[in-house]
């Protein structure tokens, strides 16, 4: 049974449940055994609710596309009555929800068996998962001296290590794509507002945040996105409608595309040699598939740095709102918050309402300029990160100068200069596991397409997966950790 669990993706496991060859209880047994044997070294799974999962199985699971497949929720968002959350914070330890989020309801209807939550940095801020509430950092299963990424770092580590075949994540500045790159997984960020946010939020971080998934196979990603696709009732805005489904897009030929290749930052700064190699190899692959590939450097009027400062202001204000809503007028106890969170709250106090609105305008104007740039190409290809996964502690969230932590030398933006760009613009983007360093650390390649072009991006990703499959490489790690 263990071999079956570790050697199949979620789609295949669901098919085995449907045929009666395996049972949901047996799959859950495998997941829990994997937590017990592997999680102590990773610190990825931070809460278990086995009784909730067993009760759901006994009550009868919905006949959804993932009926019986074990699943983990991120310890941030995906509000559910049966799953308390810390939001990555000692201040919010074991917070209980009075409602089920629309996202969780759709995941449950898909037949997934949720049995716990995975680690997140405090309130989702940061590209590493090292929140004090968990008693230590979350580590990368490829090399535990390195980070699994953030903010969905626990989800990335759990999927890469074979604890679960798929897991929930969310992405406000790259928080699905960064751990996907760091852990050798697929991480797809849909177009803004493609997925539900309610009822707890109308939008996250000025519309820049959206949910997503960490998976080993693209078909799992597609089916999960289909299962939760569509805004919830009362959503403040809607994305362009899709013509079909994500799963249907897997089988559609992408046609000949104009590929803009950028093996450097969008501002023209150099990145790590392995990141350059990953992008250049992808360019050669895309040429061999019949696409037109040209090197590109973004025009200076896009002003990525100014956008990132605006992004930082919006996130600081969102972080301060979350903290203040919990404090409810009580004084803040510094020991209950990480340094970067205290810094975000302090930075937000310097931002007026007019400053916040101006930051929103800067982000929206950037999105419009990016949309104009993408008229001259169909897809922009870059590294996902500027370097392979960082050593644990390199980006430790103890810097109380929030702007410096994000945009200063050696800060988050220097390490992750690509992903937040497409949260700001709202465009669909994906990190694919296409490169590993000589030291066997994953390096993701990032593809972004115009606003609303989710199906085209899924089709191109499927073509790449067929031409350069990554399952075997992922399985090497799973087998190593048996």
């Amino acid at each position: 049974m263990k071999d079956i669990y570790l050697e199949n993706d979620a789609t295949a496991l669901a098919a085995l449940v449907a045929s009666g060859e395996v049972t949901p209880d047996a799959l859950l047994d495998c997941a829990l055994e994997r937590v017990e044997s592997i999680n102590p070294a990773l610190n990825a799974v931070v809460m278990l609710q086995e009784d909730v999962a067993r009760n759901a199985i006994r009550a009868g699971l919905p006949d959804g596309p993932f009926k019986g497949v074990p699943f983990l929720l991120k310890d941030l968002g995906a509000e559910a009555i049966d799953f308390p959350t810390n939001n990555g914070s000692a201040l919010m330890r074991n917070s209980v929800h009075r409602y089920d989020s629309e996202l969780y309801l759709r995941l449950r209807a898909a037949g997934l068996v949720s049995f716990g939550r995975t680690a997140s940095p405090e309130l989702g801020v940061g590209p590493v998962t090292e929140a004090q509430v968990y008693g230590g950092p979350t580590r990368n299963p490829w090399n535990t001296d390195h980070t699994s990424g953030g903010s969905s770092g626990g989800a990335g580590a759990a999927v890469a290590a074979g604890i679960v075949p798929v897991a929930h994540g969310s992405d406000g500045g790259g928080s699905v794509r960064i751990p996907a790159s760091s852990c050798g997984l697929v991480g797809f960020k849909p177009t803004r507002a493609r997925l539900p946010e309610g009822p707890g939020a109308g939008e996250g971080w000025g519309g820049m945040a959206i949910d997503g998934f960490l998976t080993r196979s693209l078909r799992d990603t597609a089916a999960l996105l289909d299962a939760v696709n569509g805004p919830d009732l009362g959503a403040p805005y809607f994305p362009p409608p899709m013509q079909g489904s994500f799963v249907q897009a897997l089988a559609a030929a992408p046609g000949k595309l104009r590929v803009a290749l950028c093996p450097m930052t969008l501002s023209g700064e150099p990145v790590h040699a392995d990141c350059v190699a990953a992008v250049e190899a992808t360019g050669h692959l895309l040429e061999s598939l019949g696409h037109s590939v040209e090197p590109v450097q973004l025009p200076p009027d896009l002003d990525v740095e100014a956008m990132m400062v605006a992004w930082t202001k919006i996130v600081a204000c969102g972080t301060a709102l979350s903290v203040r809503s919990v404090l409810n007028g009580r004084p803040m106890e510094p020991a209950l918050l990480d340094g970067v969170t205290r810094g975000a709250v302090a930075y937000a106090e310097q931002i007026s309402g007019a400053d916040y609105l101006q930051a929103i305008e800067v982000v929206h104007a950037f999105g419009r300029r990016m949309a104009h740039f993408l008229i001259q190409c169909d897809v922009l290809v870059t590294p996902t990160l500027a370097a392979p996964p960082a050593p644990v502690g390199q980006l430790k969230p103890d810097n109380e100068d929030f702007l410096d932590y994000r945009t200063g030398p050696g800060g988050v933006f220097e390490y992750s200069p690509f992903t937040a760009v497409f949260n700001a613009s709202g465009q669909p983007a994906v990190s694919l596991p296409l490169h590993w360093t000589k030291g066997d650390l994953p390096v993701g390649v990032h593809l972004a397409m115009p606003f609303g072009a989710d199906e085209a991006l899924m089709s191109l990703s499927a073509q790449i997966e067929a031409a350069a499959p990554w399952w075997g490489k992922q399985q090497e790690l799973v087998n190593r950790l048996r």
Side-chain angles (χ1 to χ4, degrees):
M1 185 63 212
K2 181 179 179 180
D3 289 346
I4 291 173
Y5 185 70
L6 296 179
E7 293 172 6
N8 288 282
D9 65 0
T11 300
L13 291 175
L16 292 172
V17 171
S19 68
E21 295 177 61
V22 301
T23 67
D25 276 305
L27 294 180
L28 182 57
D29 288 340
C30 290
L32 291 168
E33 178 187 336
R34 201 75 172 161
V35 172
E36 184 178 358
S37 63
I38 293 174
N39 193 60
L42 301 179
N43 199 25
V45 181
V46 294
M47 186 264 284
L48 290 174
Q49 293 285 73
E50 181 182 353
D51 288 348
V52 172
R54 299 289 186 193
N55 289 338
I57 293 170
R58 282 194 291 269
L61 298 168
D63 288 322
F66 291 103
K67 183 177 181 179
V69 175
F71 188 73
L72 290 166
L73 302 166
K74 184 177 178 179
D75 193 24
L76 182 70
E79 300 90 350
I81 294 169
D82 289 330
F83 291 88
T85 182
N86 306 294
N87 293 312
S89 176
L91 176 66
M92 303 176 190
R93 194 190 305 269
N94 291 324
S95 297
V96 177
H97 300 290
R98 294 176 292 176
Y99 62 90
D100 290 327
S101 63
E102 179 63 23
L103 181 83
Y104 174 70
L105 291 174
R106 294 183 189 183
L107 291 169
R108 192 170 66 185
L112 291 159
V113 180
S114 297
F115 68 96
R117 287 191 181 271
T118 59
S120 165
E122 193 163 58
L123 298 172
V125 177
V128 299
T129 302
E130 301 181 19
Q132 62 169 315
V133 68
Y134 307 126
T138 299
R139 297 179 180 273
N140 195 319
W142 289 93
N143 184 327
T144 54
D145 290 334
H146 293 259
T147 182
S148 61
S151 64
S152 307
V159 174
I163 293 174
V164 286
V166 293
H168 164 249
S170 54
D171 193 318
S175 292
V176 164
R177 290 160 290 152
I178 292 170
S181 178
S182 301
C183 295
L185 302 171
V186 175
F188 193 108
K189 184 198 80 68
T191 293
R192 173 178 294 145
R194 182 73 70 196
L195 308 184
E197 286 286 324
E203 60 176 18
W205 289 356
M208 295 188 293
I210 191 168
D211 286 274
F213 304 97
L214 279 301
T215 74
R216 292 172 65 196
S217 72
L218 200 63
R219 68 177 185 173
D220 279 355
T221 294
L224 283 164
L225 289 171
D226 281 337
V228 299
N229 188 17
D232 48 333
L233 291 174
Y237 39 73
F238 286 50
M242 291 173 55
Q243 300 303 306
S245 70
F246 284 100
V247 168
Q248 289 170 340
L250 293 174
K256 182 175 180 178
L257 300 176
R258 299 166 299 160
V259 178
L261 207 68
C262 186
M264 61 188 77
T265 74
L266 301 181
S267 303
E269 300 299 320
V271 297
H272 191 280
D274 271 294
C275 299
V276 174
V279 171
E280 290 180 344
T282 302
H284 293 313
L285 174 65
L286 291 169
E287 278 187 324
S288 74
L289 293 171
H291 302 291
S292 172
V293 179
E294 297 290 342
V296 69
Q297 184 171 341
L298 268 67
D301 69 333
L302 274 168
D303 201 348
V304 178
E305 286 81 3
M307 181 280 296
M308 279 304 303
V309 171
W311 184 98
T312 302
K313 290 179 179 179
I314 294 166
V315 171
C317 290
T319 303
L321 175 63
S322 296
V323 170
R324 288 169 181 155
S325 67
V326 173
L327 292 174
N328 196 25
R330 292 179 289 120
M332 183 170 62
E333 295 183 47
L336 294 180
L337 293 168
D338 291 332
V340 70
T341 307
R342 298 195 301 272
V345 173
Y347 184 51
E349 289 174 353
Q350 306 170 32
I351 299 170
S352 68
D355 293 334
Y356 178 83
L357 289 176
Q358 184 183 41
I360 293 287
E361 288 297 321
V362 168
V363 163
H364 288 177
F366 177 86
R368 289 182 170 88
R369 288 196 293 272
M370 181 61 79
H372 278 282
F373 168 76
L374 280 171
I375 291 173
Q376 58 189 281
C377 65
D378 299 306
V379 56
L380 175 64
V381 178
T382 70
T384 305
L385 294 166
V392 168
Q394 178 178 306
L395 289 161
K396 187 176 180 180
D398 57 359
N399 186 351
E400 294 191 42
D401 185 335
F402 189 63
L403 188 60
D404 180 66
Y405 179 75
R406 295 296 317 184
T407 64
V412 171
F413 184 44
E414 185 176 295
Y415 175 65
S416 178
F418 304 102
T419 56
V421 167
F422 303 99
N423 295 89
S425 69
Q427 297 164 230
V430 64
S431 180
L432 299 178
L434 294 174
H435 184 80
W436 272 258
T437 70
K438 289 182 179 179
D440 224 21
L441 284 171
V443 174
V445 175
H446 193 268
L447 299 88
M449 278 192 166
F451 195 87
D454 303 66
E455 291 160 283
L457 183 57
M458 187 62 77
S459 296
L460 176 60
S461 299
Q463 186 185 52
I464 292 171
E465 183 183 32
W470 47 74
W471 181 268
K473 184 65 179 178
Q474 294 167 331
Q475 195 65 33
E476 288 180 18
L477 174 65
V478 173
N479 290 339
R480 197 167 79 211
L481 297 175
R482 281 182 187 262

